[in-house]
Amino acid sequence: MVGILATTLGAGIGFGVAAVGVPVVLGAAGFTAAGIAVGSVAAKIMSAAAIANGGGVAAGGTVAVLQSVGAAGLSAAAKTGMAAAGAALFALI
C-alpha cells in the first residue's frame, strides 16, 4: 500500500515539474513572450549560437525552439510527453 502511494505521489510531482516547471524555467532564463530578454542567460545563449553560426541563429535550432516554447508555451502533445516522462522518472525515485 505504501509503495503504491509513494509511486502515485512521485508520478504527480513529476507531472507537475514537467508540465509547469519547464515553461517557468524558460521564462526565468529570458525566453519570454516579448522575445529574448536583454542581459539574460537566453541572450548569452543566443549570442553564442550566432557566433557559432557565422552571425545568425539557425531556424529550428536550440535557441529558436526554446524561444518558441518561451513565447507560446508547449503544445498539448509536448506537455503530455514531458509530463509522462516526468511522472515515470519520479515514480521510480
Side-chain angles (χ1 to χ4, degrees):
M1 180 71 166
V2 173
I4 293 172
L5 180 60
T7 301
T8 304
L9 180 62
I13 291 170
F15 180 88
V17 167
V20 177
V22 170
V24 170
V25 168
L26 286 177
F31 294 101
T32 69
I36 292 180
V38 175
S40 66
V41 172
K44 290 179 176 111
I45 293 170
M46 183 177 173
S47 175
I51 291 168
N53 289 316
V57 176
T62 303
V63 173
V65 170
L66 292 174
Q67 178 54 36
S68 176
V69 171
L74 296 168
S75 68
K79 283 182 185 177
T80 301
M82 289 182 63
L89 177 66
F90 275 80
L92 293 174
I93 297 174

